[in-house]
Amino acid sequence: MQNFQGVGVSPGRVIGTIRQMPKPVSEPPSGELLAASTTAEEAVAGLKAAAQSVHDELKARADKASGDGKAVLEATALMAKDTMLLKSAIKLINNGSSAERAIWEAGASVSEMLHNLGGYMAERATDVLDVRARIVAELRGVPAPGIPASDSPFILVAEDLAPADTATLDPAVVTALVTSGGGPQSHTAIIARSLGLPAVVAARGVDEIPDGTEVFVDGAAGTLSLEPTEEHRTAALAWVANAATLAVFDGNGTTADGHLVPLLANVGGAKDAAAAAALGAQGVGLFRTEFCFLERDTEPTVLEQAAAYRGVFDAFPGKKVVLRTLDAGADKPLPFLTDATEPNPALGVRGYRTDFTTPGVLGRQLEAIAIAADETEAEVWVMAPMISTAAEAARFASMCDAAGIKTPGVMVEVPSAALTSASVLRHVGFASLGTNDLTQYAMAADRQLGPLAELNTPWQPAVLRLVQLTVAGSAEEGSGKPIGVCGEAAADPALAVVLVGLGVSTLSMTARSLAAVGTVLKTVTLEQAQELARLALSAPDALDAKAWVRAKLPILEELGL
Amino acid sequence: MPERTATIASRSGLHARPAAIFAEAAGESPVEVTIAMAGSPADDALDAASILSLMTLGAAKGDVVVLRAEGDGADAALDSLVTLLETDLDAE
């Protein structure tokens, strides 16, 4: 039996056969000419045949799809044999270009034309590029890019997933995710947790496993095993039973001795918010407003924004909704706010800092939030991302005050804000720890990089120490201002216990994790949580911190978490 | 050359689903059909069977377009395509 060890990022134990995600289609070299042995007529015929078969495959998928997905697939299928696209490619072939290069260039110019038209057309520009990649793959005789289409369930193995892959990832077909790259905070991890799929990242060597191999994946232990044993089969069956109980959160986050820790949800829009409310979330601890506008080239109007925010607020009448102002930059560029040419975007103009370079956008967003907050029964709190100093916190608070927002706060993700939290908190009403970025900055390790996965975990004692210092700063400030956690750390049931022990007052996570965190939290008293926090802080490294705490929480192993 | 004018009836204009339905129908007609915005030169007319051409045309609801075709069955083909454009395809 061969094992692959990675980092477990979303619990669950499953057995299944794997499918490899094809590598992205590479660009045919610029200036690539027709092979001497091929005539232009033959190349044109080959291109037409490839286009037709891409069309037929997309059309077949459209016939099986429904709703918006069907409409998009139908339109994409037609693009594959579109006369405009093919005629301009054929012209290039007749001028001596290879078929691959010809369709590549034709696709690029059509896509640019659509992009320049803006709005809905600009959104379709990526569909043209997808079609182009599919035709090139067909010409080369390699599998089409993207998540493989399949009727039968499989375990998806990839190098890493991009946010765009979420749209085509069907959780009814894909039963687990395993990547050779990525880290615990990578997009793969975030996608897996939001879909409730078991996932292992940074498992070196898994990209060599042939399609169709049967494997056992343990998303808590972070392992993939070839040739599953009887024990594995029993574990997978037990997980199915546990998953049913772990799917329901009773809406009451508390320790065994009744210390209340509201469990909130991280959401990106109205749809997420409604789903989170249905899963028992006690409010929203992180509303990522940029997710409403990620595809936009231009700034949404105040009224458009207000309507989008209102959609989330309305899902939680009488409950707290913590909204984060636009967190553009680094891995989430917004063309109207960010400079894509920065050499070091994670340390660049991102989050609150975009107000230095593009003033006005933040002020208008606060105006929109105030409008939406006025019309709803939700208790709206507003925080700025990437605050580094007390002066920035003070300025943000005065901007909120001017817009009529009652409860301003800050994200603590830059270590300087954690270290000076007492002075930062004097100006605002609350703070929320963004552990993903806090870890990346404390450890100086890019969160998307697989080779740094071991550094990039919030179990690092240095990160836990920053959490402790932030809480201590609130005590020093003296008016009991709450410190929450809204990073992926809160979704790890063992780490959630440690965070509560460190004095964190609320935990916000992907709604899928609420039940697991709630179940484990109920098994410890506040005093036990504090003891586990001390234990984790005293560990020499992240691996020990995690192992020591997990050893004291036997319920985790029992539930397969 | 036979030609017809038609007023776009679909709410989203000639994009997305309506464009796909129309392009498919134009592709199935026995003659080659072109489409242009009313008032623009016939030389600028685009292939009506090309969904990408239709999208770059950018016709919105209420815009008037001109369809042209030549050959056997051109009149019948144009008539049925006009009917399609003047139906709100988003409503279906």
Side-chain angles (χ1 to χ4, degrees), chain A residues 498-514:
Chain A
V498 169
L499 293 170
V500 168
L502 288 170
V504 161
S505 54
T506 57
L507 297 170
S508 188
M509 65 202 79
T510 175
R512 294 265 184 188
S513 300
L514 289 166

Side-chain angles (χ1 to χ4, degrees), chain A residues 409-433:
Chain A
V410 295
M411 293 277 293
V412 173
E413 10 178 28
V414 182
S416 64
L419 296 168
T420 58
S421 91
S423 30
V424 167
L425 280 166
R426 283 196 185 97
H427 304 285
V428 292
F430 70 99
S432 182
L433 287 147

Side-chain angles (χ1 to χ4, degrees), chain A residues 75-305:
Chain A
T76 315
L78 281 175
M79 285 177 194
K81 53 169 200 179
D82 190 273
T83 50
M84 184 189 206
L85 183 66
L86 291 180
K87 272 183 188 162
S88 77
I90 289 169
K91 209 166 147 188
L92 292 168
I93 293 175
N94 286 331
N95 286 335
S97 170
S98 75
E100 290 170 26
R101 184 67 201 174
I103 191 71
W104 190 269
E105 284 180 18
S109 61
V110 171
S111 161
E112 195 186 336
M113 197 153 73
L114 291 177
H115 182 80
N116 292 338
L117 286 168
Y120 171 82
M121 256 73 75
E123 288 167 31
R124 297 279 77 79
T126 50
D127 297 348
V128 177
L129 297 181
D130 177 51
V131 162
R132 165 182 87 167
R134 286 174 182 279
I135 295 176
V136 172
E138 184 71 28
L139 284 167
R140 288 180 182 162
V142 300
I147 294 170
S150 168
D151 294 329
S152 47
F154 62 91
I155 292 169
L156 181 64
V157 179
E159 191 187 337
D160 197 8
L161 296 182
D165 293 319
T166 330
T168 50
L169 201 164
D170 178 358
V173 177
V174 176
T175 57
L177 300 174
V178 181
T179 62
S180 55
Q185 335 262 8
S186 65
H187 289 294
T188 303
I190 293 168
I191 291 168
R193 286 187 206 112
S194 71
L195 294 174
L197 287 178
V200 177
V201 301
R204 254 173 272 174
V206 292
D207 37 4
E208 304 294 330
I209 307 171
D211 272 359
T213 308
E214 190 184 47
V215 302
F216 170 73
V217 173
D218 186 331
T223 52
L224 178 151
S225 316
L226 302 183
E227 294 165 31
T229 62
E230 269 320 301
E231 256 170 55
H232 289 151
R233 288 181 205 285
T234 315
L237 282 176
W239 171 255
V240 175
N242 285 338
T245 56
L246 289 175
V248 192
F249 173 52
D250 60 10
N252 181 29
T254 172
T255 60
D257 55 338
H259 170 69
L260 297 183
V261 183
L263 301 185
L264 315 172
N266 295 350
V267 306
K271 219 166 127 187
D272 281 3
L279 286 167
Q282 295 174 265
V284 170
L286 172 63
F287 170 16
R288 304 176 164 110
T289 51
E290 65 280 0
F291 277 67
C292 300
F293 307 111
L294 274 188
E295 310 261 295
R296 296 284 298 257
D297 282 348
T298 52
E299 182 189 348
T301 65
V302 167
L303 289 180
E304 254 180 289
Q305 293 188 50

Side-chain angles (χ1 to χ4, degrees), chain A residues 148 159 221 244 302 315 323 362 425 523 528:
Chain A
E159 191 187 337
V302 167
L323 178 152
L362 179 59
L425 280 166
T523 65
Q528 285 167 332

